[in-house]
Amino acid sequence: MIRAHSKSPSPQRSFHFYNQILHSQNLSPDNYTFNFLVRTCTQISSPETGLSIHAAVIKHGFETDPHVQSGLIHMYAELGFLDSSLSIFLKLPDPDLVSQTAMVSACAKSGEVDIARELFDKMPFRDPIAWNAMISGYTQSGRSREALRLFHLMQIDGVKVNEGTMVSVLSACTHLGALDQGRWVHVYIERNNIRMTVTLGTALIDMYAKCGNLGKAMEVFWRMREKNVYTWTSAMNGLAMNGAGKECLELFDLMKQEGVPPNEVTFVSVLRGCSVVGLVEEGREHFDSMSIVYGLEPRLEHYGCVVDLYGRAGRLEDAINFINSMPIKPHAGAWGALLNACKIHGNLKLGEFASRELVELELKNDGAYVVLSNIYADSRNWDEVSNVRKLMKNEGVKKVPGCSVIEVNGEVHEFFVGDKTHPRYSEIEVKLGEISRRLRLSGYVANTNPVLFDIEEEEKEDALCRHSEKVAIAFGLISLDEGIPIRIVKNLRVCGDCHDVTKIISKVYNREIIVRDRNRFHHFKNGDCSCRDYW
């Protein structure tokens, strides 16, 4: 009964049966009792109860039981006391596989992946749980390349994989935009007859959509026999990210017809779908329906989406009025959306105001300073650009360097702005020169406003030429066969000049180029972009 309740929606009922054991004249708790009670403490997230059960474990003499020890290690880690987990583990004279695996899992789940890897490497035998914990830990910590490398080692060791492994590996592919590796994982799942659960299918949809292969994402979606709200939401988010806003809303209508109730995350996708195609009134109706129709309380991200919806459409007055009418304090997402809208539509005065509000909330938000600098640069106000840069220096704010990732033949390559360390950089430079010449012949004139320095135009053009996505595109042109799309993932928003250049390159070189930036996808083909210059 204790075990059953420890896994149920009402785990606290376990203590009722534990108390009955304690008050019984001929019963006493054993190691199984405490193993399940420790699990209950983890479920209810109660440090005080956890400490009490730990004390009872010691009192009844079960502190050396390996299953109880591993449960305590896991419990303290889940409750946020990793030091306590490590303390228990380090006191073990000869940790068994169960305790070692529990400690690796605890460290990995708590974000201490380096400690987890050190323990993992010392294990004489590693079970699938330890492998999965490490891969998941790397993925959740944003160290996706290490997650994929470890998965490769897992294959070499012949360790059996399961659904959990595949979900983590797909998440790593998603983060890197590594479509080739994601495709390989999909084939691996089918060849090894790994059951296509709702969770795994949803991860596949997310991977394909966020790697820019929307057709394959929707193919997986329509083939899935069982779908939950997260499956529908993942498909809708993929459509919105890739600029298919109307298709996103059509899928939302179908979801409602199927009787699947939307959740808060669903409405983030719906509002983004409205935003990418400028459906302002429809977006506002969906926002209002959250509370009126579905009884869902809008969260901060929903308010930010509505500000973005108004702002991208140029309705800046509606955007600021909406912010002022919010029932909660406006957050950084709302002010950031307004600031970006001011940059798009050249509203210097409102941009300054939004920037001040954003910096007040997040003093170290480099994006706020950079966007404000760009607004001043657009108006050729170099004194104010200089003042913003001085303020950044005084506050110790550093601009996040632009980074673009491209996958070639299953290998992921990273390019940072101005970085020349790639082994093929000399070839890349030659290709950049060729691209520059062909752009000029096509009538291209550099938009140097994004360059924040008051320097000569020629130097500005050279600085623009070294933006990470342009370097990655050049590498793609010299590395990928003709006809193969160039797929790039960038950590920042694409600047106006890079957007213009990529459109021209797609036409001049007759090459499809797909760029995923911080906000959305841009599919460049024959000189046009899927965003229709609305981003």
Side-chain angles (χ1 to χ4, degrees):
M1 291 303 296
I2 292 173
R3 179 179 67 176
H5 281 288
S6 73
K7 296 179 177 180
S8 77
S10 54
Q12 62 275 6
R13 286 280 294 162
S14 299
F15 297 113
H16 168 74
F17 296 99
Y18 172 60
N19 287 328
Q20 286 189 263
I21 292 176
L22 293 180
H23 290 97
S24 171
Q25 293 183 347
N26 55 3
L27 290 175
S28 60
D30 61 11
N31 58 332
Y32 293 103
T33 310
F34 289 111
N35 189 30
F36 301 133
L37 286 174
V38 167
R39 179 186 295 165
T40 298
C41 295
T42 306
Q43 287 281 88
I44 65 175
S45 299
S46 173
E48 295 81 6
T49 309
L51 287 169
S52 298
I53 293 299
H54 191 178
V57 165
I58 296 170
K59 177 182 176 181
H60 288 86
F62 294 110
E63 68 270 27
T64 59
D65 182 272
H67 292 283
V68 175
Q69 288 169 340
S70 65
L72 287 168
I73 289 168
H74 182 68
M75 178 192 78
Y76 280 119
E78 284 288 314
L79 294 174
F81 301 106
L82 188 61
D83 289 344
S84 298
S85 298
L86 280 167
S87 177
I88 294 170
F89 180 77
L90 294 173
K91 288 177 182 176
L92 301 178
D94 186 23
D96 65 355
L97 175 63
V98 176
S99 300
Q100 289 173 328
T101 301
M103 195 65 247
V104 168
S105 299
C107 290
K109 197 165 187 178
S110 300
E112 297 290 346
V113 285
D114 291 327
I115 297 174
R117 185 59 188 266
E118 188 178 339
L119 295 169
F120 178 82
D121 288 340
K122 290 178 180 177
M123 292 177 70
F125 173 76
R126 308 178 187 101
D127 64 4
I129 297 173
W131 283 95
N132 289 350
M134 277 305 315
I135 293 171
S136 175
Y138 275 134
T139 301
Q140 291 173 10
S141 299
R143 295 163 64 171
S144 300
R145 297 180 77 171
E146 288 163 280
L148 294 179
R149 279 197 289 266
L150 197 62
F151 177 63
H152 179 64
L153 291 176
M154 189 178 183
Q155 301 306 293
I156 293 172
D157 273 19
V159 182
K160 185 178 180 180
V161 302
N162 58 22
E163 175 199 2
T165 318
M166 293 292 94
V167 169
S168 294
V169 171
L170 284 169
S171 296
C173 295
T174 302
H175 178 256
L176 291 171
L179 180 60
D180 288 346
Q181 295 190 52
R183 284 192 187 113
W184 182 89
V185 172
H186 191 179
V187 171
Y188 183 92
I189 290 167
E190 292 177 338
R191 285 182 178 172
N192 288 272
N193 296 316
I194 298 173
R195 192 168 73 88
M196 186 60 71
T197 62
V198 175
T199 302
L200 188 53
T202 302
L204 264 175
I205 292 168
D206 196 51
M207 182 276 295
Y208 278 121
K210 290 181 179 175
C211 287
N213 193 334
L214 193 56
K216 192 66 178 177
M218 296 312 297
E219 180 185 316
V220 173
F221 175 81
W222 294 119
R223 285 173 58 188
M224 286 178 65
R225 295 178 180 177
E226 184 184 354
K227 305 178 183 74
N228 62 15
V229 63
Y230 300 103
T231 313
W232 287 89
T233 299
S234 183
M236 290 184 336
N237 185 55
L239 288 164
M241 278 186 69
N242 283 274
K246 290 182 180 178
E247 291 83 349
C248 169
L249 299 176
E250 288 169 3
L251 196 64
F252 182 50
D253 287 337
L254 183 59
M255 173 184 168
K256 290 185 289 185
Q257 290 173 27
E258 293 287 328
V260 181
N263 61 16
E264 291 88 349
V265 184
T266 308
F267 277 99
V268 173
S269 299
V270 170
L271 292 170
R272 284 177 177 166
C274 293
S275 184
V276 296
V277 288
L279 296 174
V280 179
E281 301 307 330
E282 191 169 346
R284 186 57 198 263
E285 287 174 10
H286 284 302
F287 175 81
D288 292 338
S289 75
M290 285 185 66
S291 53
I292 297 171
V293 179
Y294 299 99
L296 299 172
E297 191 69 29
R299 297 177 180 175
L300 289 172
E301 53 264 45
H302 300 110
Y303 288 102
C305 284
V306 175
V307 176
D308 183 65
L309 182 68
Y310 280 129
R312 288 182 189 277
R315 294 170 57 171
L316 301 182
E317 187 174 341
D318 287 328
I320 190 64
N321 288 339
F322 181 80
I323 289 176
N324 291 332
S325 67
M326 285 171 58
I328 51 180
K329 183 180 179 181
H331 63 305
W335 291 117
L338 180 61
L339 181 58
N340 281 323
C342 292
K343 167 66 174 67
I344 293 169
H345 299 287
N347 192 317
L348 178 58
K349 185 176 180 180
L350 189 56
E352 289 175 323
F353 174 72
S355 176
R356 284 196 299 271
E357 294 292 333
L358 183 53
V359 169
E360 189 175 318
L361 288 172
E362 296 182 352
L363 187 62
K364 302 293 184 181
N365 188 322
D366 68 302
Y369 296 97
V370 170
V371 174
L372 183 61
S373 293
N374 282 335
I375 293 174
Y376 285 131
D378 284 342
S379 61
R380 319 295 289 180
N381 191 338
W382 300 114
D383 289 338
E384 287 298 339
V385 170
S386 180
N387 288 337
V388 172
R389 293 180 62 80
K390 286 175 184 175
L391 182 60
M392 289 178 70
K393 187 175 182 180
N394 292 338
E395 297 295 344
V397 179
K398 292 186 177 179
K399 182 181 180 296
V400 174
C403 173
S404 293
V405 175
I406 180 172
E407 183 188 30
V408 174
N409 299 324
E411 184 179 353
V412 176
H413 300 260
E414 285 182 322
F415 294 96
F416 289 88
V417 61
D419 182 26
K420 300 182 179 182
T421 59
H422 193 276
R424 296 185 66 184
Y425 193 79
S426 58
E427 296 175 70
I428 293 171
E429 276 222 293
V430 172
K431 180 57 74 172
L432 283 170
E434 178 196 305
I435 291 171
S436 181
R437 289 190 295 274
R438 294 187 68 172
L439 287 174
R440 290 181 190 280
L441 287 172
S442 68
Y444 160 75
V445 177
N447 174 12
T448 57
N449 283 353
V451 183
L452 303 183
F453 306 99
D454 186 13
I455 55 179
E456 294 298 322
E457 288 298 308
E458 188 175 335
E459 295 176 72
K460 288 185 179 183
E461 289 185 29
D462 185 63
L464 284 171
C465 185
R466 297 298 183 270
H467 278 195
S468 62
E469 62 267 52
K470 289 175 182 169
V471 179
I473 289 171
F475 178 67
L477 289 171
I478 65 174
S479 305
L480 296 168
D481 292 337
E482 287 187 21
I484 296 177
I486 296 173
R487 301 175 186 273
I488 293 168
V489 176
K490 186 176 181 182
N491 64 333
L492 303 176
R493 185 176 181 271
V494 171
C495 78
D497 183 75
C498 287
H499 192 268
D500 292 342
V501 164
T502 309
K503 284 199 296 184
I504 299 170
I505 292 174
S506 71
K507 184 175 183 179
V508 170
Y509 286 87
N510 192 27
R511 184 71 72 100
E512 183 180 1
I513 302 171
I514 301 162
V515 179
R516 185 179 99 198
D517 72 4
R518 189 168 60 184
N519 293 334
R520 60 171 293 165
F521 271 92
H522 300 269
H523 294 256
F524 299 93
K525 195 171 184 179
N526 297 324
D528 293 316
C529 180
S530 59
C531 75
R532 299 187 296 278
D533 297 337
Y534 185 81
W535 92 104

